[in-house]
Amino acid sequence: MNKYDNDLFLRAARGELTERPPVWLMRQAGRILPQYRALRAQLSGFIELVTTPDLAAEVTVQPVDELGVDAAIIFSDILVIPEALGLPYNMIEKVGPRFPEVIKSMADFKKLRPADAAPEHLGYVYDALDATKKLLNNRVPLIGFAGAPWTIFAYMVEGGGSKTFSKARAMLYREPELSHLLMERIALATAAYLKGKISHGADLIQLFDSWAGVLPPAHYEAFALRYLKLIIDELGDAVPITVFAKDARHAIPSIGKLACNVVQLDWIADPVLARSQVQGKVLQGNLDPVQLYAPLPEVERATLAMLDKFGPHHIANLGHGVYPDTPLDGVKTFVNTVKNYRYG
Ligand SMILES: Cc1c2[nH]c(c1CCC(=O)O)Cc1[nH]c(c(CCC(=O)O)c1C)Cc1[nH]c(c(CCC(=O)O)c1C)Cc1[nH]c(c(C)c1CCC(=O)O)C2
């Protein structure tokens, strides 16, 4: 008996051959839906939504109801980990995340909480998962996620977004020992947190390395991959795992050697080349998010071309999160085109 009314996403993620690719969109929860904007407008801000389990659950389920996607992703943020380690963030409208305090030295590092203390500060996420599972009522699987250690490190050292992440990158060159300690702390806290997410019903875990692209390949191997591996090894094979190293196409062969099931591709990556670089993995992606702004017949044509290029063992998605002002009919055309497709 199937656990879910629609288990296509999980079957595909585990490497089974399915009748069509499953489809969902990164950042589908929030942003694009009018229902989300209406709810968000009544609240003090993003953090109130993230920390109120019933509201987070409501927003998580909206795209399942409205778009008919094959998976839900829990409404939360990757920055809950720095917060749980003792480095709180603010989300500033039209600017993005800002950390009032950052890690500059060993003394700052020593003030952080130990890794195993993180989960007890993340009870609101687990409550959101519980509430979401109830609302979903076994319709589709639920994706849990976290930032990859390098991306979290980048925010904790830089203090916010940046084009170059030069402060965070300078720490890797100047203080490799401190850098390894901080990366390890983040990785262990994230692993503990994700085990909690799995025990509260997350059916697959996706790791977002959004700032992978700013590291030279040697640093990506020495710092980023090493701690991604630590998390993946800690989680074992409890649920399938997806890795997304955005803008780091040089790393695809190494990611293919990790014990993950799914490799997410950005929209620049070539599916055929990636397929030849990783063996025995499912690929996820990778339509250009901006393609959804095109006339609808073009959205359909490009989606079909992408599906043909990937072939089976594919989960349809964009090459990065859906942008907030994406036309909703473009999103729906993308989803429906995948849902009407069948492998030949
Ligand atoms: C780098 C990163 C962050 N957060 C995340 C990443 C990795 C993915 C990526 O590369 O896009 C991941 C994330 N953030 C959010 C989710 C929810 C689930 C989903 O729909 O995928 C997920 C998976 C909600 C959110 N996280 C944020 C919003 C917008 C907040 C609002 O409603 O004002 C949402 C819905 C805020 C956020 N959070 C972050 C930034 C830079 C910002 C501000 C800019 C932006 O909107 O993306 C950090």
Side-chain angles (χ1 to χ4, degrees), residues 22 51 60 97 100 104 106 113 127 135 151 200 207 212 214 223 226 231 233 281 299 307-308 341:
T51 54
T60 300
K104 295 188 291 303
M106 188 64 87
R113 293 191 187 114
D127 292 344
L135 280 184
T151 289
H200 286 269
L207 296 164
V214 299
F223 289 97
R226 175 168 169 185
I231 294 176
D233 291 348
K281 307 279 187 207
V299 175
L307 297 176
D308 287 342
Y341 186 83

Side-chain angles (χ1 to χ4, degrees), residues 26-31 36 40 46 73-79 91 93 96-97 145 155 208 210-211 320:
M26 291 187 283
R27 313 299 293 271
Q28 68 188 16
R31 302 178 126 190
Y36 170 79
R40 176 76 171 69
F46 172 73
I73 179 163
I74 187 71
F75 187 84
S76 183
D77 203 82
I78 62 170
L79 301 175
M91 197 58 80
E93 207 70 40
F145 70 90
Y155 281 110
F208 286 93
S210 302
W211 303 116
H320 193 208

Side-chain angles (χ1 to χ4, degrees), residues 20 23 98 110 124 135 165 180 197 233 238 271 296 308:
R20 64 159 173 95
V23 59
R98 281 287 172 277
K110 287 191 170 149
Y124 62 92
L135 280 184
F165 282 95
H180 278 295
K197 271 190 166 169
D233 291 348
L296 302 183
D308 287 342

Side-chain angles (χ1 to χ4, degrees), residues 18 29-31 63 87 106 128 148 161 250-251 275 290 313 330:
T18 49
R31 302 178 126 190
L87 222 56
M106 188 64 87
H250 60 82
R275 197 65 91 188
V290 182
H313 300 298

Side-chain angles (χ1 to χ4, degrees), residues 200-219:
H200 286 269
D203 295 291
L204 174 144
I205 294 294
Q206 177 153 339
L207 296 164
F208 286 93
D209 213 351
S210 302
W211 303 116
V214 299
L215 289 183
H219 270 176

